[in-house]
Amino acid sequence: MKIDIEKTAEFLKANDFFYIIAHTSPDGDTIGSSFALYYALKQFGKTSKVICADEFDVKYDYLFREYKIEKFEPKTIVTCDIADENLLGDLQQQYEGRVDLCIDHHVSNKGYAKNSFVDHTAAANCENVYRIIKALGVEISPLIAECLYTGIVTDTGCFRFSNTTANTHAIVAELLKIDFPHYEINRQMFEIKKMERLRLETMLVTEMESYFNHRCHLVVVRKKLMQELGLSDSDLEGVTAITTQIGSSLVGITIKEKDTDKYKLSLRSTGNVNVSEICQKFGGGGHFNAAGCTIKGTEKEVKEKIIHALSDILSWGSVNAE
Ligand SMILES: [Mn+2]
């Protein structure tokens, strides 16, 4: 059932003992919205806990400084920024069909929860959580502001992506009235990189493939290279950006080797190409300009499948790799 802001606030007031679930390969928005909700519920005298199938990267540590893990039996399951139950990862078996409230902003949201507050006009799920916190009447502490700001800047690429709206800026304008180190958050999110990550980017750029007369660029992140560089999945956040940095690029594809014959794809588009639709053909989804899916097969087969899926949209001119 779809519910509005007021009903969502009422639901949170009426319930307690929350498990708040963040999605696999957690990004700034799922972490930011989950923890903003956690701190808001705490101010409300509620007991809650944030859980995730994957670990949170240390670069988000500043958001956890007042987080205390408590042991309790969950009575209410909430998901933040999760469009599809398969993004629960290893928690899926346990919580599938059991989600009481979903707070999300993905167009592709599957409506799997008993109650859903989904506003896909929000650039980040943190915008939704901001509005919910306002509806709850909870005061926004500097730490809550940091959580929300982190989610908004990461999901909008620091206000550069097409999802950024007047409302995004209006919310951030409100947040900036609260004293918190936004410059440091931006440096942490967008400037600082490990040397090994920079090396990886260099190698990916060197081997980048170009299709459809340079309208599509593709990189493959192989396990072996990751191991050689000592990098883990959490070091890959934002790596997809390099696939759309060439001016002619309409679609960027990042193919990440998961297992033998299993690849996770991240698609980005710069204009009017709906990559969520493309990814849905392979059981994935996401946003109009940013989406993902998993495809089985050899690396060569996976490439062929995704390039084929894009050919209707991009194949004016040459279809071959250049
Ligand atoms: Mn998000």
Side-chain angles (χ1 to χ4, degrees):
M1 189 175 57
K2 284 183 183 167
I3 57 171
D4 61 14
I5 284 280
E6 280 70 35
K7 282 264 161 24
T8 307
E10 272 170 36
F11 177 91
L12 292 167
K13 280 182 196 168
N15 290 282
D16 202 353
F17 301 102
F18 300 92
Y19 268 15
I20 304 164
I21 312 182
H23 63 70
T24 49
S25 306
D27 60 13
D29 190 36
T30 196
I31 297 174
S33 55
S34 297
F35 279 88
L37 188 62
Y38 164 84
Y39 292 123
L41 289 171
K42 194 170 158 187
Q43 280 193 38
F44 225 79
K46 304 283 186 184
T47 303
S48 65
K49 183 177 182 171
V50 180
I51 60 169
C52 181
D54 296 334
E55 266 179 49
F56 301 135
D57 190 272
V58 290
K59 76 175 179 185
Y60 299 106
D61 274 357
Y62 63 95
L63 299 179
F64 316 141
R65 62 182 185 268
E66 287 173 28
Y67 180 62
K68 285 190 190 74
I69 298 170
E70 289 177 74
K71 266 203 169 163
F72 61 90
E73 269 303 309
K75 292 216 172 87
T76 320
I77 309 299
V78 182
T79 56
C80 272
D81 201 35
I82 298 184
D84 188 314
E85 282 176 307
N86 63 25
L87 293 167
L88 297 170
D90 289 345
L91 299 171
Q92 185 175 1
Q93 229 187 351
Q94 205 173 347
Y95 296 107
E96 186 161 33
R98 286 188 55 199
V99 178
D100 299 296
L101 172 65
C102 162
I103 305 169
D104 186 30
H105 71 126
H106 290 90
V107 183
S108 59
N109 188 283
K110 290 269 173 28
Y112 58 86
K114 289 166 202 158
N115 301 282
S116 300
F117 177 74
V118 182
D119 181 356
H120 61 83
T121 67
N125 197 41
C126 278
E127 288 183 20
N128 292 333
V129 171
Y130 170 86
R131 290 168 60 204
I132 292 165
I133 290 174
K134 281 296 205 188
L136 280 170
V138 168
E139 195 200 328
I140 296 184
S141 65
L143 185 50
I144 291 177
E146 286 178 48
C147 292
L148 296 173
Y149 185 83
T150 300
I152 292 171
V153 292
T154 50
D155 260 26
T156 61
C158 230
F159 313 107
R160 288 178 300 123
F161 300 159
S162 61
N163 58 1
T164 308
T165 65
N167 206 30
T168 311
H169 283 286
I171 290 171
V172 170
E174 285 305 310
L175 294 177
L176 290 183
K177 290 175 187 165
I178 301 155
D179 188 28
F180 70 94
H182 51 90
Y183 161 74
E184 278 167 38
I185 292 175
N186 287 324
R187 176 160 160 73
Q188 181 76 276
M189 293 302 124
F190 303 108
E191 285 179 16
I192 295 171
K193 282 177 186 171
K194 284 182 188 170
M195 179 63 95
E196 291 75 13
R197 161 68 187 258
L198 286 175
R199 291 220 164 92
L200 172 80
E201 287 185 16
T202 306
M203 288 169 182
L204 294 180
V205 170
T206 308
E207 290 188 15
M208 189 183 280
E209 294 173 27
S210 175
Y211 295 88
F212 307 112
N213 282 337
H214 308 289
R215 288 186 282 262
C216 173
H217 294 88
L218 179 153
V219 295
V220 184
V221 183
R222 296 186 188 90
K223 266 183 162 180
K224 192 167 167 277
L225 180 59
M226 293 287 284
Q227 279 159 6
E228 278 167 13
L229 291 167
L231 293 170
S232 60
D233 278 3
S234 62
D235 296 311
L236 289 177
E237 196 178 328
V239 82
T240 51
I242 60 171
T243 59
T244 52
Q245 279 176 343
I246 291 157
S248 58
S249 207
L250 295 176
V251 175
I253 305 166
T254 306
I255 299 181
K256 197 167 78 184
E257 183 183 5
K258 295 295 278 182
D259 289 307
T260 326
D261 291 349
K262 194 177 168 194
Y263 292 83
K264 203 177 159 212
L265 284 76
S266 297
L267 270 70
R268 297 290 179 269
S269 67
T270 57
N272 205 24
V273 180
N274 185 350
V275 286
S276 180
E277 220 167 64
I278 302 288
C279 289
Q280 280 175 41
K281 289 183 183 170
F282 299 100
H287 303 286
F288 193 94
N289 292 120
C293 59
T294 300
I295 304 180
K296 286 180 179 166
T298 63
E299 186 186 309
K300 190 167 169 281
E301 286 164 355
V302 169
K303 269 187 207 172
E304 281 168 4
K305 280 180 189 168
I306 193 67
I307 294 301
H308 180 74
L310 284 161
S311 60
D312 281 348
I313 304 163
L314 298 178
S315 70
W316 68 97
S318 170
V319 188
N320 301 318
E322 287 131 26

